[in-house]
Amino acid sequence: MIIKPAIKNNICVRVHPIGCRENVKRQIDYVKTKGSFKGPKNVLIIGGSSGYGLASRVTLGFGCNANTINVSFEIEPKRNKTGTAGWWNNIYFQQFAKEEGLKYKDFIGDAFSFEMKQQVIDYIKREYGKIDLLVYSLASNRRTDPVTGETYISSLKSIGKTVDGYSIDINKECLKYEKMEEATPEEIQNTIKVMGGEDWDLWVEALMKEDLLEEGFKTVSYTYLGSPATYDIYHEGTIGKAKNHLEETARALNTTLKEKYNGQALISASKAIVTKASIYIPIFPVYGAILYKLMKEAGTHEGEIEQKYRLFKDMVYGEEPIIDEVGRYRPDNLEQDEALQEKVKEILNKIDNDNLHELSDIKGFVDDFMKINGFNFDTVDYEQDVDMETLNEVEL
Ligand code: NAI
Ligand code: NA
């Protein structure tokens, strides 16, 4: 099958396996070039098949020789369907890890469920005894509560007002007027239920109960804070409320872990980047495209792998943590630059379809979107026939 991109409503409904391999390899190469560092031995990552979770896995595997277990929700290729990018990322992570002599394991399914937690627990008991790090990098729009069986849907909405702005139409590379609607109290609660800290807490509790946490155990989850330019749509919106809950969870977990294992639970704020999840946030892509332009001009632009390498090497396992007044680790420091944010705000106020290409890095933004789906790599021949069945015949 010859695979060409097909984008519908800003979702890439086809992905390119060989390009996904390139996406994983490019991140491994980055870590190898930057060098190894002392870190954890056995790591569990929830949501390690794409975006920040995958970059965390690559950093820890190839940067510290860590054995990695990944739980992700991905779809296998079938007939003329290419499967999801995360599916292929897992396969190629495994191939590269195998070459490197690293131990790896992938669980595909619902991390929110008790069944998945039990499977992972059984595996850890059998293969490792204990783990030293849990990275919680899940992004989802729904969650079934494992106790009640009720399914909650999250919303990406503002609170107390509607917000006008633009979204990016990836196909046409243009702006499209968009209104972010005001959330109802129920929508706020449901978003907290999905993207707050409840499931993270359940994972730590379950692992703790089975005595699977090593002395000095750490756990980290990711938030986005952004700047006044994005507060209405993120930090002060429904997702921001969920992230507040995630932070409360971290504080409670930190107290427990410190006491029991001399351990740590921490929150790290990451930079805005293009991922499968972030592309859904209304108005966020326009901010992202402007940010990309200004940070590239300033020479401070980073992608997922640069962010996670810095987080783990310099901060979580290093001597140069950037920690804010409430204890969050801040590799997003370069995005926070005040002069930069002033410029972002100025451009956001005047951006339109006539000046979009001049005032933003829409090209680079769309290029990143294509790349996370396996397209736009110079090193891949997209006219080549891809035999997905053969590529997929890998032991998971
Ligand atoms: P992503 O969409 O690339 O990754 C989400 C991961 O969650 C994937 O591995 C997916 O398979 C997994 N997943 C989703 N539902 C699942 C389920 N039910 N069971 C098991 N796995 C499931 O998203 P991204 O952007 O990397 O997000 C990860 C974290 O980083 C989130 O907490 C997000 O808020 C945070 N973050 C993202 C930023 C961005 O600009 N993309 C900025 C700052 C923080
Ligand atoms: Na992720």
Side-chain angles (χ1 to χ4, degrees):
M1 173 177 182
I2 290 169
I3 307 170
K4 301 276 167 176
I7 299 158
K8 282 184 193 142
N9 300 323
N10 284 359
I11 300 164
C12 213
V13 293
R14 252 177 248 148
V15 306
H16 201 286
I18 309 297
C20 291
R21 180 181 186 275
E22 285 302 298
N23 187 26
V24 175
K25 184 170 184 299
R26 151 189 92 76
Q27 298 188 48
I28 293 173
D29 290 345
Y30 175 82
V31 171
K32 286 189 166 176
T33 309
K34 297 294 274 189
S36 59
F37 60 96
K38 205 169 151 359
K41 282 200 301 283
N42 300 317
V43 181
L44 171 59
I45 300 155
I46 311 299
S49 60
S50 65
Y52 276 135
L54 173 62
S56 304
R57 191 183 196 189
V58 169
T59 296
L60 297 160
F62 292 83
C64 334
N65 263 327
N67 304 314
T68 55
I69 307 165
N70 169 35
V71 182
S72 60
F73 192 89
E74 299 297 343
I75 299 165
E76 186 170 11
K78 215 178 230 162
R79 278 188 298 268
N80 61 346
K81 295 230 168 78
T82 59
T84 52
W87 176 271
W88 296 106
N89 293 341
N90 287 345
I91 286 189
Y92 291 111
F93 179 90
Q94 292 189 6
Q95 287 192 356
F96 290 119
K98 196 171 190 173
E99 280 171 31
E100 197 76 12
L102 300 171
K103 223 167 137 172
Y104 52 82
K105 176 72 181 173
D106 277 271
F107 290 91
I108 303 291
D110 183 12
F112 294 130
S113 71
F114 283 137
E115 291 77 10
M116 179 57 79
K117 290 181 178 72
Q118 194 55 52
Q119 280 185 51
V120 173
I121 281 170
D122 292 343
Y123 177 82
I124 294 172
K125 271 190 194 165
R126 202 167 62 234
E127 298 291 328
Y128 299 119
K130 290 180 197 285
I131 58 167
D132 358 71
L133 173 68
L134 167 68
V135 176
Y136 192 85
S137 186
L138 194 151
S140 177
N141 62 351
R142 61 180 59 229
R143 170 173 172 238
T144 300
D145 184 314
V147 178
T148 62
E150 196 174 332
T151 299
Y152 296 87
I153 311 281
S154 69
S155 310
L156 292 162
K157 292 193 175 179
S158 43
I159 295 176
K161 58 179 163 190
T162 59
V163 183
D164 293 294
Y166 291 110
S167 73
I168 285 179
D169 183 320
I170 302 234
N171 256 335
K172 298 191 189 130
E173 274 187 32
C174 70
L175 297 174
K176 212 171 69 187
Y177 171 76
E178 186 169 51
K179 194 185 228 161
M180 191 182 240
E181 300 290 343
E182 185 182 336
T184 65
E186 195 190 355
E187 285 171 329
I188 299 171
Q189 286 315 311
N190 291 353
T191 307
I192 293 172
K193 197 75 187 168
V194 178
M195 286 298 284
E198 199 173 86
D199 183 58
W200 183 22
D201 185 59
L202 287 173
W203 271 102
V204 177
E205 289 291 334
L207 293 161
M208 212 157 50
K209 202 167 137 232
E210 301 282 342
D211 195 22
L212 300 180
L213 305 183
E214 198 73 76
E215 181 68 19
F217 170 81
K218 291 178 195 281
T219 185
V220 55
S221 190
Y222 302 139
T223 190
Y224 181 70
L225 292 169
S227 69
T230 55
Y231 280 171
D232 284 348
I233 57 165
Y234 198 103
H235 187 55
E236 288 165 5
T238 49
I239 180 74
K241 293 287 175 212
K243 293 298 187 183
N244 287 347
H245 185 269
L246 191 76
E247 295 202 25
E248 285 162 27
T249 306
R251 279 190 283 277
L253 283 176
N254 192 50
T255 307
T256 311
L257 293 173
K258 204 174 200 144
E259 200 182 286
K260 285 197 165 173
Y261 309 95
N262 195 23
Q264 189 184 17
L266 58 102
I267 293 284
S268 173
S270 309
K271 170 184 182 288
I273 57 159
V274 183
T275 64
K276 187 175 176 175
S278 72
I279 204 81
Y280 282 109
I281 306 169
I283 309 171
F284 191 70
V286 182
Y287 167 81
I290 297 169
L291 185 77
Y292 272 35
K293 179 180 166 75
L294 296 174
M295 290 189 84
K296 282 178 184 176
E297 277 172 7
T300 56
H301 179 72
E302 292 176 310
E304 64 274 54
I305 194 64
E306 289 86 353
Q307 279 279 293
K308 292 306 149 189
Y309 184 81
R310 216 149 56 77
L311 171 67
F312 288 108
K313 176 168 179 284
D314 297 345
M315 304 190 197
V316 180
Y317 294 102
E319 304 296 317
E320 299 160 57
I322 302 168
I323 302 178
D324 67 17
E325 66 290 350
V326 296
R328 302 181 198 104
Y329 284 45
R330 303 296 300 266
D332 67 336
N333 59 321
L334 303 170
E335 177 179 353
Q336 298 295 325
D337 183 86
E338 266 178 46
L340 173 88
Q341 285 299 333
E342 268 310 309
K343 276 193 225 160
V344 171
K345 219 166 74 188
E346 221 174 90
I347 295 177
L348 261 174
N349 284 331
K350 63 180 181 201
I351 201 146
D352 58 32
N353 269 316
D354 297 327
N355 59 28
L356 176 65
H357 283 82
E358 182 198 335
L359 297 182
S360 84
D361 183 25
I362 174 99
K363 282 255 175 270
F365 191 86
V366 171
D367 185 57
D368 270 11
F369 176 82
M370 298 306 284
K371 286 199 158 83
I372 62 170
N373 291 295
F375 297 102
N376 279 18
F377 285 99
D378 299 338
T379 43
V380 177
D381 179 359
Y382 291 101
E383 302 304 324
Q384 277 281 333
D385 196 42
V386 179
D387 179 358
M388 282 190 297
E389 220 168 284
T390 308
L391 292 177
N392 196 33
E393 275 169 12
V394 181
E395 202 187 319
L396 269 181

